[in-house]
Amino acid sequence: MTLSVVVVARNEAEMIVPCLRALQFADEVVVVVDSRSDDETEQLARDMHARVVVREFTNFAAFKNAAIEIATGEWTLVVDADERVSPALAREILSVTRTELDAARVTFDNYFFGKKMEWGGWQEQHIRLFRTAGGTYTGDIHETLRLPPGSKVGDLTHHMIHLSHRSVKHNLLKTMQYVDVQAMELLQQRHPPVTPRTLFAVVVREFGSRFLRRRGFRDGMPGVIESLYQPFSLFAVHVRLWELQQGSRIDDAYRRLDDGEQ
């Protein structure tokens, strides 16, 4: 069985080379670079002898589907640029491609601010390995993999390393990139009008979940930072949603001020 690894990336010059170096066990590596990238991601991927395609971004599902369509392997592994496949995980992935399974879930070890997160609800599992035929992503930002009915899904024992949330600057840039997409997704889902109560509710609920119920404080300073930052990120998304729900009213108010209207 042949295996293709697909990587989607935007401004990942810092992360792309070690990511691709760990994927040399695959028959093919396809990197789809967001056309909005303005760093050396594309050239670095080419230097690593990956198949590189530059594509205009629409949403995360469409972006990953474009990568899967390019892949030629009978199996596909989806990896982000800030994720790492260990040699042990690589061997297990290759062994799964020789079984009767159709897909496999992998557990993620999330590292925030240099620390592996054990608490705070950051223990995740996602299907990332699957037979290429029939695998399709849906969803604008929290994309979900859809498999053909009756697919046999197993679980990998070795974990994927996720080197996310590397600094507060990285967090802020990530929020800036995602806030419009997340807010637009909520708008399309006909989210109820955002009110002051909405803003307080999302902040209190997320903090209570991360810090108290899931004991994020047990991860030390990184856990405390994340327990406070995630409510802020959701707050920003809902403020942007409120702006979208206002239509042109905010811009009209400034236009009237510029025209000298009171």
Side-chain angles (χ1 to χ4, degrees):
M1 291 292 184
T2 54
L3 172 67
S4 295
V5 181
V6 300
V7 182
V8 296
R10 176 188 178 190
N11 287 341
E12 290 288 3
E14 180 183 355
M15 291 278 108
I16 194 69
V17 171
C19 173
L20 298 181
R21 189 181 297 130
L23 301 177
Q24 294 179 3
F25 66 94
D27 299 289
E28 172 188 58
V29 177
V30 178
V31 179
V32 179
V33 179
D34 189 328
S35 61
R36 298 172 296 176
S37 290
D38 55 11
D39 67 1
E40 298 179 340
T41 299
E42 178 186 355
Q43 187 57 51
L44 290 171
R46 294 188 189 280
D47 291 344
M48 292 295 293
H49 307 292
R51 290 181 60 196
V52 179
V53 177
V54 179
R55 180 183 172 90
E56 182 179 356
F57 180 85
T58 52
N59 60 56
F60 289 95
F63 213 56
K64 288 188 175 179
N65 287 335
I68 293 170
E69 290 173 5
I70 297 168
T72 62
E74 296 164 89
W75 282 78
T76 293
L77 173 69
V78 177
V79 178
D80 290 339
D82 61 356
E83 296 170 351
R84 303 290 180 265
V85 177
S86 68
L89 177 57
R91 289 191 294 269
E92 186 177 13
I93 287 169
L94 291 176
S95 69
V96 167
T97 65
R98 297 188 289 268
T99 70
E100 294 183 354
L101 289 174
D102 298 303
R105 280 180 293 265
V106 61
T107 300
F108 286 79
D109 289 339
N110 285 298
Y111 284 79
F112 295 166
F113 296 90
K115 176 180 173 57
K116 179 181 175 181
M117 305 299 282
E118 303 284 359
W119 302 87
W122 296 111
Q123 295 67 46
E124 307 170 31
Q125 275 192 325
H126 302 288
I127 298 175
R128 288 293 192 87
L129 178 66
F130 52 92
R131 294 184 188 270
T132 305
T136 305
Y137 279 94
T138 61
D140 287 344
I141 186 164
H142 297 296
E143 65 278 8
T144 302
L145 179 67
R146 297 288 179 86
L147 298 172
S151 295
K152 298 178 182 179
V153 182
D155 292 288
L156 298 172
T157 57
H158 294 91
H159 295 186
M160 183 96 74
I161 297 171
H162 186 199
L163 305 178
S164 186
H165 299 198
R166 299 184 291 277
S167 66
V168 67
K169 180 180 177 180
H170 177 263
N171 276 14
L172 290 168
L173 289 172
K174 197 170 184 178
T175 296
M176 287 175 60
Q177 292 172 5
Y178 289 175
V179 66
D180 272 337
V181 180
Q182 288 181 296
M184 185 59 70
E185 188 176 53
L186 291 173
L187 185 70
Q188 292 171 349
Q189 294 171 357
R190 300 181 182 276
H191 190 283
V194 174
T195 65
R197 181 176 180 178
T198 306
L199 297 179
F200 280 109
V202 296
V203 169
V204 171
R205 184 166 55 245
E206 185 68 11
F207 176 77
S209 174
R210 296 288 182 189
F211 189 80
L212 299 175
R213 185 166 68 85
R214 299 178 181 181
R215 302 183 181 183
F217 59 87
R218 296 193 64 173
D219 281 319
M221 189 61 172
V224 173
I225 291 171
E226 289 298 331
S227 295
L228 290 168
Y229 187 85
Q230 293 307 311
F232 162 75
S233 182
L234 283 177
F235 169 82
V237 169
H238 284 79
V239 171
R240 179 57 181 150
L241 174 60
W242 174 80
E243 290 178 336
L244 292 172
Q245 290 174 340
Q246 303 312 299
S248 63
R249 287 192 287 272
I250 296 175
D251 288 338
D252 289 344
Y254 283 105
R255 179 186 55 77
R256 289 193 298 270
L257 289 169
D258 281 335
D259 291 342
E261 300 177 25
Q262 298 298 321

